[in-house]
Amino acid sequence: SHIFKKNHDLTKAWRGKTEQLLRVDEHDFTMRPAFGGPAIPVGVDVQVESLDSISEVDMDFTMTLYLRHYWKDERLSFPSTNNKSMTFDGRLVKKIWVPDVFFVHSKRSFIHDTTTDNIMLRVFPDGHVLYSMRVTVTAMCNMDFSRFPLDSQTCSLELESYAYTDEDLMLYWKNGNESLKTDEKISLSQFLIQKFHTTSRLAFYSSTGWYNRLYINFTLRRHIFFFLLQTYFPATLMVMLSWVSFWIDRRAVPARVSLGITTVLTMSTIITGVNASMPRVSYIKAVDIYLWVSFVFVFLSVLEYAAVNYLTTVQERKERKLRERFSCSCGIPHSKSMMLDGNYSESDANSLAGYTRNQMVPEEEKQEKMVVHLAMSNESNSSRKRGLKGHVGLRIIQNTHAIDKYSRLIFPGTYIFFNLIYWSVFS
C-alpha cells in the first residue's frame, strides 16, 4: 500500500501527454494532408466478415465488412522512444482529417454502434494512420437471369472518394489482390461463392472530374439441386402423368378429361410459383423455357384426346349411316337388324362370326326373314381375321384409336429429345 501511494495517476499523466504529442488543436484538420501539393495516397484493404443475403427481386446484396484506410499525415506525428503506436476510438476521428470514402450504388449502409461505435484509429510516430470501421452495406447488383436457375452472377461493391478528385486523393488497393480477405465460414444457402477479387479504375463525372474507384468483385454460382426438387422434377412428373391418358379407354371421357385438366392446372401453379419469387424482367429465362415447353406438352395431350373423341364420333356416325343404308336397301319384309357396337362377349362374337353383313336365312326354314349387321371398327375386323385371343385383349384393341398409338411414342420421344437439348445448352 505504501508503494501504491507513491505511484502517480498514470491515466491522467498519459492523457495530457497524448494531447501534447498529437497537437490536434495546433492544425486545421479541415484541409487534407499536404494541401497544395501532390495527391495524397490512401491505401485500402477490406476483410469481408459475412455475405448476408442476395435478393433477386430487389437485385441487391448485403455485406458486412471491415474497411481499413492507410495514409500519412505528418501533422499527427509525435516523438517516441519505443516506436509504439497509439490507438483511439471514434471520438478522435471527429477532430482530425479522414478520407471521405463512400459506397457507390449503395441503397443502405451503417456503421455498427453496439456497444460503442465500431471505429478504431491507430496513429504511428511517423504520422502514418490506420483508420478501421465495421460496416454493413446493401448495394445494387445488376443480375442477368437469362440462364436462371443455371446462372452465375457477378456483383461488385464500389468504393470512391466523394469530394476529392484524383488530383487530391489517390485511392488504391494497399496490397493488390491480397488487400481483400474473406472469412472461410462465409456461405450462402442458395449460392456457391466461387471467388473474390479486386479491381480499380477511374470514374468520370462531367460536373466534377475524375475519381479513383475501387471494386470488390465476387462471383456466385447458384445451387441447382433446390430447383431440381421444387421445379424441374414436379414439372417432368406432370408431363409424364399427362401421358397416362393415352392408355385409358377412349370412351372413358370423364377419366381422360379430368386427368388432362388436372395436369394443366398443376403446371399453371408451378409456373406462377416460380415467377412470384423473381423480378418482372422483360426477357425469357431458362426456367421459363422448360416450364412453358412442359406446359405445351400437357396441353397437347388434352388436345390429343379432343381429336380422338371427335374422330371417334365421326367414325361412329358414318358407320351408323352405313348400317341404316344397308338395312333399308335389302328389300325384305319383316326384316330386323341387330347392331353391336363392339361391347359384346366372346360367346356372342363366336356365335355371329359366321354371318356376313347381308346373309339371310333360307325361306324354307323360316317365314320371317332376318338380317344381322355387325358394326365393328377397323381394329375389330382385323382382329377377328386373326382370331379372337380373349375378351380383354379384344376390347383394348377396339377401344384404342390410332392417334393414341402414335402418341405413346411421339410424346415421350419428343420430350426426351427436348431435355437432351435443354440440359446440353444451359448446363
Side-chain angles (χ1 to χ4, degrees):
S1 61
H2 178 71
I3 298 175
F4 180 77
K5 291 180 180 180
K6 288 184 178 181
N7 291 338
H8 299 285
D9 189 347
L10 298 179
T11 304
K12 183 177 181 180
W14 181 249
R15 180 182 177 185
K17 188 179 295 185
T18 301
E19 292 179 352
Q20 183 180 0
L21 289 175
L22 290 182
R23 295 172 296 175
V24 175
D25 298 331
E26 297 180 7
H27 300 278
D28 183 7
F29 281 97
T30 60
M31 312 297 292
R32 70 173 178 86
F35 177 76
I40 175 176
V42 176
V44 175
D45 68 28
V46 171
Q47 180 174 348
V48 179
E49 181 182 9
S50 64
L51 192 57
D52 301 325
S53 64
I54 306 289
S55 176
E56 290 89 355
V57 177
D58 299 326
M59 285 193 181
D60 60 24
F61 65 92
T62 301
M63 178 186 294
T64 300
L65 51 90
Y66 295 95
L67 178 61
R68 305 184 183 99
H69 308 79
Y70 302 85
W71 73 94
K72 184 177 182 180
D73 191 345
E74 294 182 354
R75 296 172 296 183
L76 297 177
S77 60
F78 61 90
S80 175
T81 57
N82 51 16
N83 199 29
K84 288 186 177 181
S85 61
M86 292 187 293
T87 303
F88 306 93
D89 56 16
R91 288 172 290 184
L92 185 61
V93 173
K94 300 177 181 179
K95 299 181 180 180
I96 64 172
W97 180 90
V98 293
D100 59 340
V101 174
F102 78 106
F103 297 102
V104 185
H105 304 309
S106 66
K107 296 181 178 181
R108 296 173 299 276
S109 61
F110 63 92
I111 300 175
H112 291 260
D113 55 1
T114 306
T115 56
T116 59
D117 292 339
N118 295 174
I119 296 175
M120 185 267 290
L121 189 71
R122 183 171 294 169
V123 182
F124 294 86
D126 59 353
H128 280 88
V129 181
L130 165 61
Y131 174 44
S132 176
M133 66 185 73
R134 182 167 175 254
V135 185
T136 294
V137 55
T138 300
M140 291 176 52
C141 179
N142 294 323
M143 301 181 185
D144 182 13
F145 297 106
S146 59
R147 299 177 64 90
F148 176 87
L150 306 169
D151 59 333
S152 297
Q153 302 294 342
T154 300
C155 300
S156 299
L157 182 63
E158 306 172 13
L159 295 86
E160 182 182 306
S161 172
Y162 191 83
Y164 297 99
T165 64
D166 60 340
E167 297 178 355
D168 290 321
L169 189 147
M170 185 181 67
L171 206 62
Y172 69 98
W173 290 111
K174 188 174 184 296
N175 298 313
N177 284 331
E178 298 297 326
S179 302
L180 181 61
K181 304 292 183 180
T182 58
D183 194 333
E184 296 179 355
K185 298 180 180 179
I186 294 179
S187 62
L188 293 170
S189 59
Q190 192 174 341
F191 291 93
L192 173 65
I193 303 176
Q194 291 185 321
K195 64 177 180 179
F196 277 90
H197 66 281
T198 60
T199 55
S200 61
R201 66 186 66 175
L202 289 175
F204 176 73
Y205 298 91
S206 59
S207 301
T208 53
W210 294 88
Y211 294 82
N212 295 110
R213 183 177 295 183
L214 306 181
Y215 296 81
I216 303 174
N217 306 306
F218 56 95
T219 303
L220 306 172
R221 183 168 182 81
R222 197 181 306 273
H223 293 299
I224 186 60
F225 189 71
F226 171 81
F227 296 93
L228 287 176
L229 292 180
Q230 299 295 326
T231 304
Y232 287 95
F233 190 61
T236 303
L237 287 182
M238 288 300 104
V239 175
M240 297 174 65
L241 183 61
S242 67
W243 300 340
V244 175
S245 63
F246 303 151
W247 277 265
I248 298 178
D249 188 350
R250 60 178 176 174
R251 301 181 185 276
V253 178
R256 296 190 65 164
V257 171
S258 61
L259 179 62
I261 296 301
T262 301
T263 52
V264 168
L265 293 178
T266 304
M267 282 301 305
S268 301
T269 303
I270 295 175
I271 294 174
T272 304
V274 172
N275 292 327
S277 59
M278 295 296 299
R280 298 178 180 178
V281 295
S282 58
Y283 49 84
I284 299 176
K285 304 182 290 293
V287 68
D288 293 335
I289 296 176
Y290 192 90
L291 291 179
W292 279 105
V293 170
S294 300
F295 183 85
V296 169
F297 271 89
V298 172
F299 187 72
L300 287 179
S301 67
V302 179
L303 295 182
E304 186 270 348
Y305 178 64
V308 169
N309 188 273
Y310 174 76
L311 294 178
T312 301
T313 304
V314 172
Q315 181 181 358
E316 291 179 350
R317 187 182 300 116
K318 290 181 179 179
E319 292 178 354
R320 189 180 303 111
K321 291 180 179 180
L322 185 62
R323 287 194 298 268
E324 292 176 356
R325 184 183 306 171
F326 281 137
S327 62
C328 294
S329 62
C330 60
I332 301 175
H334 306 290
S335 63
K336 295 182 179 179
S337 297
M338 181 180 296
M339 300 175 60
L340 301 177
D341 60 356
N343 296 322
Y344 50 87
S345 63
E346 183 178 358
S347 60
D348 296 333
N350 292 330
S351 63
L352 296 173
Y355 290 93
T356 60
R357 293 181 179 269
N358 296 320
Q359 184 174 0
M360 295 178 292
V361 180
E363 188 175 357
E364 296 84 7
E365 295 181 0
K366 290 187 179 180
Q367 295 180 355
E368 184 178 5
K369 280 78 177 175
M370 178 181 294
V371 179
V372 178
H373 299 281
L374 294 178
M376 303 179 69
S377 61
N378 294 332
E379 292 84 352
S380 62
N381 287 329
S382 60
S383 64
R384 187 177 64 181
K385 293 178 181 179
R386 292 191 300 267
L388 296 175
K389 297 182 179 180
H391 174 61
V392 177
L394 180 63
R395 286 181 58 85
I396 293 176
I397 295 175
Q398 290 171 347
N399 294 327
T400 300
H401 199 275
I403 297 179
D404 283 338
K405 292 181 179 179
Y406 292 124
S407 298
R408 295 172 187 175
L409 299 177
I410 295 176
F411 274 72
T414 307
Y415 194 69
I416 292 173
F417 180 71
F418 161 72
N419 274 271
L420 292 177
I421 296 178
Y422 179 87
W423 293 109
S424 61
V425 171
F426 290 103
S427 62

